[in-house]
């Protein structure tokens, strides 16, 4: 996206987000999300779900329906849908690596979370990751199938490689190994570095051009960080001193070549 596209995108989402429910504007940390299943009785099962290529396949029309239901701001949402269609070149997909898109993505996927909660499941979600807690293996399998069906209604599918059913005890071990692997990959072997999800989140935030680790999630898309201005490539005339007569002569010698090329 161009700079003007980013400014317009931010402005539209800022206006729409002002009418969204507060729970859609606030995210718990990934560490809190990952640890939530461990805070309950460990005699049950945990369904670990991940949506495949989520931002690539967000349907603009379905997103607009949910935004209108939540805010009633039809005029701004119509402009947003047209803007997304022009930027993405199709009627699906959101710009990636942007806190602005996170607000829209969370709103879109909250439909699935609400549906599962109404059916009696205990569900937590962070971005496109779900954790569903059940008491029996049969309930866990049913929850997985129901979640897959609801995602299918939105034109989305589960990532099979990242989807699994674990006992609560095995989930705790799996989550610990996962944190250790992330720590090893992104933060190195420094023993003083905290090995938790917050540290990983801070690492990614510190490398993002949209915000810093100290910027709250709800403000990160409203308060851009300072960046070095991009220098626009200059014409060759900018770097050389030519008189007006020399420039005219140079253009006159180039024009026949350009016309000949067009004719061919």
């Amino acid at each position: 996206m161009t700079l003007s596209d980013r400014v317009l995108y931010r402005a539209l989402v800022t206006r729409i987000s002002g009418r969204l429910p507060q729970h859609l504007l606030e995210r718990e940390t990934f560490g809190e999300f990952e640890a939530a299943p461990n805070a309950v009785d460990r005699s049950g099962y945990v369904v670990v779900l991940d949506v495949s290529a989520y931002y690539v396949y967000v349907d603009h029309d379905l997103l607009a329906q949910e935004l209108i239901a939540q805010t009633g701001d039809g005029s701004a949402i119509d402009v947003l849908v047209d803007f997304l269609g022009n930027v993405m070149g199709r009627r699906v997909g959101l710009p990636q690596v942007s806190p602005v898109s996170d607000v829209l993505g969370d709103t879109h996927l909250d439909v699935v979370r609400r549906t599962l909660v109404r059916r009696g499941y205990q569900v937590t979600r962070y971005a496109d990751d779900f954790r569903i807690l059940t008491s029996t293996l049969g309930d866990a399998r049913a929850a997985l199938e129901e979640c897959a069906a609801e995602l299918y209604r939105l034109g989305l599918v589960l990532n099979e490689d990242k989807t699994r059913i674990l006992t609560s005890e095995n989930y705790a071990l799996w989550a610990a190994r996962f944190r250790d692997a992330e720590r090893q990959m992104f933060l190195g072997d420094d023993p003083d570095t905290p090995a938790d999800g917050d540290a990983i989140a801070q690492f990614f935030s510190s490398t993002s051009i949209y915000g810093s680790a100290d910027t709250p999630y709800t403000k990160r898309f409203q308060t851009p960080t300072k960046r070095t201005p991009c220098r626009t490539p200059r014409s060759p005339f900018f770097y050389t001193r030519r008189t007006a007569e020399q420039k005219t002569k140079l253009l006159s010698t180039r024009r026949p070549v350009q016309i000949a090329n067009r004719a061919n």
Side-chain angles (χ1 to χ4, degrees):
M1 293 193 296
T2 65
L3 178 60
S4 59
D5 288 338
R6 293 180 185 277
V7 172
L8 177 58
Y9 188 33
R10 189 187 302 272
L12 287 170
V13 176
T14 299
R15 167 172 167 168
I16 294 170
S17 64
R19 301 186 179 185
L20 288 173
Q22 193 64 27
H23 74 275
L24 293 175
L25 302 177
E26 296 179 348
R27 272 185 180 177
E28 60 184 354
T29 66
F30 185 79
E32 293 172 340
F33 159 76
E34 195 176 49
N38 296 329
V40 299
D41 184 13
R42 294 193 177 186
S43 61
Y45 293 83
V46 180
V47 186
V48 178
L49 302 168
D50 179 88
V51 183
S52 179
Y54 168 55
Y55 280 89
V56 178
Y57 296 111
V58 172
D59 186 289
H60 297 168
D61 294 326
L62 295 178
L63 172 62
Q65 292 177 16
E66 178 63 17
L67 289 173
I68 290 175
Q70 294 284 359
T71 68
D73 194 350
S75 58
I77 294 168
D78 287 342
V79 175
L80 175 64
V81 170
D82 290 339
F83 169 82
L84 290 174
N86 292 330
V87 168
M88 304 304 295
R90 52 183 183 171
R91 300 291 289 183
V92 296
L94 296 175
Q96 300 189 48
V97 196
S98 170
V100 183
S101 295
D102 291 345
V103 175
L104 300 180
D106 285 350
T107 302
H108 189 52
L109 268 188
D110 196 59
V111 177
V112 178
R113 184 196 65 82
R114 295 199 309 266
T115 300
L116 294 173
V117 169
R118 284 196 293 267
R119 293 176 183 174
Y121 294 111
Q122 188 173 350
V123 185
T124 59
R125 183 183 63 82
Y126 183 91
D128 59 352
D129 291 310
F130 286 80
R131 302 288 186 268
I132 306 175
L133 282 68
T134 65
S135 57
T136 67
L137 180 59
D139 288 343
R141 290 173 175 170
L144 192 156
E145 292 178 358
E146 291 182 35
C147 184
E150 292 304 315
L151 289 171
Y152 184 79
R153 295 176 189 275
L154 298 180
L156 304 170
V157 296
L158 291 172
N159 186 331
E160 294 183 0
D161 294 334
K162 297 182 179 180
T163 297
R164 65 203 69 200
I165 297 175
L166 303 170
T167 64
S168 296
E169 292 183 358
N170 286 339
Y171 173 80
L173 297 174
W174 172 83
R177 288 197 299 267
F178 186 78
R179 287 195 301 271
D180 291 342
E182 281 188 323
R183 179 184 181 278
Q184 177 72 21
M185 180 177 296
F186 297 110
L187 303 178
D189 297 322
D190 185 358
D192 295 330
T193 303
D196 56 18
D198 294 345
I200 303 298
Q202 290 176 3
F203 170 83
F204 282 113
S205 298
S206 66
T207 60
S208 171
I209 63 173
Y210 296 98
S212 65
D214 297 328
T215 307
Y217 170 76
T218 54
K219 299 296 183 181
R220 205 173 289 175
F221 67 91
Q222 299 176 357
T223 309
T225 56
K226 293 182 179 179
R227 293 182 289 172
T228 304
C230 176
R231 296 188 179 279
T232 306
R234 300 290 187 176
S235 164
F237 294 142
F238 179 82
Y239 298 103
T240 59
R241 293 187 178 182
R242 293 188 175 96
T243 63
E245 183 178 349
Q246 289 174 323
K247 294 178 182 179
T248 303
K249 182 178 179 180
L250 180 60
L251 289 175
S252 65
T253 59
R254 288 183 175 181
R255 188 173 294 115
V257 177
Q258 295 173 351
I259 294 176
N261 290 338
R262 291 174 185 172
N264 294 333

